[in-house]
Amino acid sequence: MTRHFLRDDDLTPAEQKQVLELGMAFREDRHFRQPLNGPRAVAFITDKPTLRTQVSFATGIAELGGFPMVVDGNLAQIGTRESVADTTRVLDRMVSAIVWRTFGDERIQEMAAVSRVPVVNALTDGFHPCQILADLLTVAQHRGGVSALPGQVFAYVGDAANNMGSSYVLGGVTAGLHVRIGGPAAYLPDAEIVARAQEIAAQTGGSVTVTTDPVEAVRDADAVATDTWVSMGAEAQAAERATPFVPFQLDAELLAHAKPDAIVLHCLPAYRGKEITADVIDGPQSVVFDEAENRLHAQKALLTWLLERR
């Protein structure tokens, strides 16, 4: 059966660990496995602006021995000029996997329902699971390996009602992390996502805490992450979002409540002076550029894992 990766809980805890360990191996040797050797093509479709996602997938597909077929979603007009299903039935006869960065989750779910090749969510409005794999790989890199992840305290402060908030909750507990989410009351994760995460946490020993207190969120944390307060598509809300998020700015004062050796993550692009201050993101605890690099290794691991299970 073809496996897809549309949201973080599409991997079981054991499967996520396999992917992360493969990602660590790719960190050591970028070319140690080439499942796309041929070369076999992978379609990378983007409906949204991108830098890290496109470059990391395109580079990664090439390093796996394959050929990245980059498709401009604005030209393809999937779901407008041609149905999602028909587009998928054309693509899966030509490529070995489809990576899609798009809007509504129903679009990628429709694609996965008919695709005979793996479909990977490279960001939707609901989830950003490839970014969380990279973040978990970064925590593992700085905390003693993948086996050291269970029990780590991971805090995320800021807009938790976005795709990053949902994916941190699901992906974090799958790895056995104690995930703490801190945000304004109107910007917290969906209750169904939290309930699903609690089910997973019961299996892995992790936990989920959702709070409107930024200090409670980061207290004694091993890792602290944040993201922009204004996600793509929410630009019109920039003014109304400015005030409620101010207490959740990741500055030195807030970071001081975490463990002294806590690492700092940000999926980028970052807005210094908004969700994070320059002294924190450019400071000694920041690992944001390791995190950016790990998009490459984590996604290569994911593609390899999916292709080897077809």
Side-chain angles (χ1 to χ4, degrees), residues 44 92 104 110 118 122-123 178 190 194 201 214 248 255-256 282 305 308:
F44 175 86
D92 74 5
E110 184 178 355
L123 183 142
H178 298 296
D190 182 88
V194 174
F248 297 88
L255 183 61
D282 298 325
W305 191 91
E308 291 180 349

Side-chain angles (χ1 to χ4, degrees), residues 3-13 15-16 108-109 112 119-121 127 129 170 174 196 200 302 305-306:
R3 293 290 300 270
H4 307 293
F5 187 58
L6 309 186
R7 47 186 275 173
D8 307 81
D9 55 348
D10 283 341
L11 295 176
T12 67
E15 291 170 344
Q16 185 199 64
I108 202 166
Q109 290 165 3
V119 175
V120 173
N121 180 348
F127 302 95
L170 290 178
T174 301
R196 172 62 182 144
I200 299 170
L302 175 68
W305 191 91
L306 291 171

Side-chain angles (χ1 to χ4, degrees), residues 282-297:
D282 298 325
Q285 292 174 257
S286 172
V287 294
V288 299
F289 295 106
D290 286 341
E291 180 186 5
E293 178 189 334
N294 282 332
R295 289 290 302 274
L296 173 69
H297 308 307

Side-chain angles (χ1 to χ4, degrees), residues 63-216:
E63 291 186 355
L64 293 176
F67 175 78
M69 174 60 70
V70 179
V71 179
D72 183 337
N74 293 318
L75 295 177
Q77 298 181 31
I78 300 173
T80 302
R81 190 170 64 91
E82 183 175 52
S83 72
V84 173
D86 283 357
T87 300
T88 307
R89 292 185 181 107
V90 171
L91 290 177
D92 74 5
R93 289 169 180 255
M94 303 179 185
V95 302
S96 297
I98 303 170
V99 179
W100 198 6
R101 181 178 172 92
T102 188
F103 296 92
D105 288 77
E106 71 282 357
R107 288 165 60 76
I108 202 166
Q109 290 165 3
E110 184 178 355
M111 175 175 281
V114 298
S115 178
R116 299 176 300 179
V117 300
V119 175
V120 173
N121 180 348
L123 183 142
T124 58
D125 292 343
F127 302 95
H128 200 356
C130 289
Q131 180 66 57
I132 271 51
L133 287 178
D135 287 17
L136 292 171
L137 194 62
T138 307
V139 177
Q141 176 188 349
H142 290 273
R143 287 294 184 265
V146 177
S147 296
L149 287 176
Q152 294 281 317
V153 177
F154 189 101
Y156 172 76
V157 290
D159 183 6
N162 65 6
N163 47 16
M164 289 298 294
S166 295
S167 280
Y168 273 134
V169 169
L170 290 178
V173 296
T174 301
L177 300 179
H178 298 296
V179 180
R180 297 201 199 132
I181 303 292
Y187 300 94
L188 295 176
D190 182 88
E192 289 187 8
I193 296 296
V194 174
R196 172 62 182 144
Q198 289 170 335
E199 291 177 0
I200 299 170
Q203 304 171 30
T204 64
S207 65
V208 182
T209 300
V210 178
T211 177
T212 57
D213 182 345
V215 173
E216 179 187 1

